Amino acid sequence: MKNRILTGITTSGTPHLGNYFGAIKPSLELAKKSSDSFFFLADYHSIIKVNNPQEVTSSIENIALAWLSSGLDTKNSYFYKQSDIREILELSWVLHCVTAKGLMNRAHAYKALKENNSDDKGVNMGLFSYPILMSADILMFNSTHVPVGPDQLQHLEMTRDIALRFNHIFGDTFEIPEAVINNDDPIPGIDGRKMSKSYNNVIPLLCDEKTLKKSIMKIVTNSLEPGVPKDHTNCNVFSLYINFASDQEIEEFKDDYANGISWGDAKNKLFDKANETLLPIREKYFDLREQKDLVNDHLSDGAKKVRPLAREFIEVIRSKIGIS
Ligand code: ADP
Ligand code: TRP
């Protein structure tokens, strides 16, 4: 069967280890086994939360560089900016009209803001209906597999519901996509909550060695003294370490915990592994960011490749709904 993968990252803030292990790394691995892959910068998603144009522009550049430095091959994939493909917004409206409001009421991001807030203060309509824009991103290209972090599972379920609803009303049109989730639990940030640009608790993917070390040293732990045996479960340092280490190294780290490793030494071990893994990405990033126009050139080539696909499919969709 044709296997088309697609994923996007919102262009707010700096790319971080959660984005890398939740989306970038598994997507690039999956791309090697798939017939087609679509990677895009979800810039229209970012304005839901960010009203600072410079932040959006610089995040577009950094998230694009994160993909390119992590090994994305633009010749064998589609790499583009959401805002360059206007048909996505057109499809988003069409999908709005087949989506029950009740479905959006249940979205986690909305529900979290709504708690103790009967007036919907701080909720814009973009935030409320954002799972529909995400569905349009995915359904526009009939993707079959969507690699994302566990926090996005609900949005994928909504996308499936919306696609099924459209197909039911207007006849078979959309593939029903599947989420591909790599880790059951989100990558924790330095405070133990899900690592997220919104929580200001990230370890950046693209930074120098000193900044990486500083972020790792800030990871919150309990206050057990050196020499006291420690529990590796529910430990932020350990949960980050397993993403970088081999099975054998993980077993050895468990023994270190049982033998009372100090938090300083545990963090240094994490730093050494992280630094070793991230070094080639960092070196590539320092090189690519010096190449003027590189990101824009890649994205404008990508838009040229992607637009014809979107134009052709939106015509099919328009004719299904009686607007052609
Ligand atoms: P953020 O939450 O920092 O705004 P995004 O929402 O742009 O990040 O996420 C882009 C991709 O990275 C999504 O697939 C998302 O599931 C994944 N991702 C983000 N944070 C994490 C995390 N802490 N653990 C695993 N995956 C994550
Ligand atoms: N909503 C995703 C996030 O914040 C980003 C995103 C937008 C996305 N459109 C997508 C991910 C389509 C996968 C497929 O994490």
Side-chain angles (χ1 to χ4, degrees):
M1 197 194 75
K2 203 169 79 40
N3 184 330
R4 174 172 279 188
I5 68 163
L6 175 146
T7 200
I9 297 184
T10 305
T11 56
S12 54
T14 0
H16 54 76
L17 294 185
N19 299 142
Y20 181 69
F21 288 114
I24 299 178
K25 185 169 179 251
S27 301
L28 294 177
E29 276 162 12
L30 210 56
K32 293 186 196 138
K33 300 182 255 161
S34 308
S35 5
D36 274 334
S37 34
F38 287 64
F39 304 118
F40 73 97
L41 308 173
D43 47 357
Y44 270 134
H45 282 271
S46 67
I47 60 169
I48 294 170
K49 288 197 190 141
V50 184
N51 294 143
N52 174 345
Q54 282 90 6
E55 185 187 332
V56 174
T57 309
S58 93
S59 182
I60 290 173
E61 168 101 6
N62 280 325
I63 301 222
L65 284 170
W67 279 109
L68 296 168
S69 311
S70 304
L72 180 139
D73 171 6
T74 52
K75 286 206 180 64
N76 291 310
S77 58
Y78 296 91
F79 181 52
Y80 57 100
K81 236 171 30 192
Q82 179 190 36
S83 60
D84 279 337
I85 315 300
R86 306 287 160 94
E87 291 78 3
I88 294 173
L89 292 185
E90 190 173 345
L91 176 57
S92 175
W93 176 250
V94 174
L95 298 178
H96 268 76
C97 298
V98 298
T99 304
K101 176 174 174 284
L103 188 68
M104 294 300 101
N105 287 342
R106 292 196 284 278
H108 297 318
Y110 170 59
K111 270 172 68 178
L113 269 179
K114 171 121 189 93
E115 232 161 68
N116 304 324
N117 174 13
S118 55
D119 278 349
D120 280 349
K121 232 176 167 180
V123 179
N124 61 41
M125 289 306 292
L127 179 100
F128 181 67
S129 65
Y130 132 101
I132 310 180
L133 179 56
M134 182 159 162
S135 303
D137 294 329
I138 297 169
L139 300 178
M140 184 80 253
F141 300 104
N142 267 328
S143 25
T144 56
H145 293 84
V146 183
V148 279
D151 57 312
Q152 296 298 312
L153 191 57
Q154 188 196 40
H155 296 143
L156 260 295
E157 280 160 6
M158 290 177 163
T159 302
R160 291 163 65 88
D161 277 1
I162 294 170
L164 285 167
R165 176 97 188 119
F166 186 98
N167 287 354
H168 175 72
I169 303 173
F170 298 107
D172 250 5
T173 308
F174 297 120
E175 286 278 346
I176 309 303
E178 264 176 51
V180 183
I181 311 273
N182 212 30
N183 300 26
D184 289 342
D185 296 314
I187 307 292
I190 55 174
D191 60 358
R193 291 185 294 170
K194 172 201 160 213
M195 188 178 291
S196 171
K197 291 168 281 202
S198 323
Y199 297 151
N200 216 354
N201 65 353
V202 308
I203 300 180
L205 172 66
L206 309 171
C207 62
D208 59 27
E209 204 172 302
K210 228 170 115 193
T211 312
L212 180 66
K213 188 153 198 170
K214 232 169 118 186
S215 308
I216 288 178
M217 291 303 158
K218 279 198 226 148
I219 297 173
V220 175
T221 57
N222 59 30
S223 50
L224 289 178
E225 299 285 334
V228 179
K230 298 177 176 64
D231 183 8
H232 66 272
T233 55
N234 286 323
C235 170
N236 303 330
V237 178
F238 191 86
S239 304
L240 283 160
Y241 186 81
I242 55 177
N243 295 286
F244 295 102
S246 67
D247 289 349
Q248 195 195 331
E249 287 165 334
I250 294 172
E251 286 311 309
E252 286 165 12
F253 206 37
K254 279 185 194 166
D255 290 342
D256 291 336
Y257 271 64
N259 294 329
I261 190 171
S262 73
W263 288 125
D265 288 349
K267 287 179 182 179
N268 273 324
K269 270 200 158 178
L270 168 61
F271 166 73
D272 288 341
K273 277 318 296 175
N275 196 37
E276 182 189 314
T277 310
L278 299 178
L279 186 69
I281 300 176
R282 177 191 305 148
E283 283 181 343
K284 197 152 179 205
Y285 164 65
F286 286 146
D287 172 33
L288 296 181
R289 75 171 179 184
E290 296 308 319
Q291 300 182 33
K292 206 174 155 279
D293 296 333
L294 177 106
V295 166
N296 280 341
D297 289 349
H298 277 299
L299 292 174
S300 81
D301 288 352
K304 282 188 201 126
K305 270 181 11 188
V306 173
R307 269 188 209 124
L309 305 178
R311 276 197 198 128
E312 194 183 324
F313 195 39
I314 202 78
E315 285 312 321
V316 173
I317 295 161
R318 284 165 61 107
S319 90
K320 295 248 176 183
I321 58 177
I323 303 176
S324 44

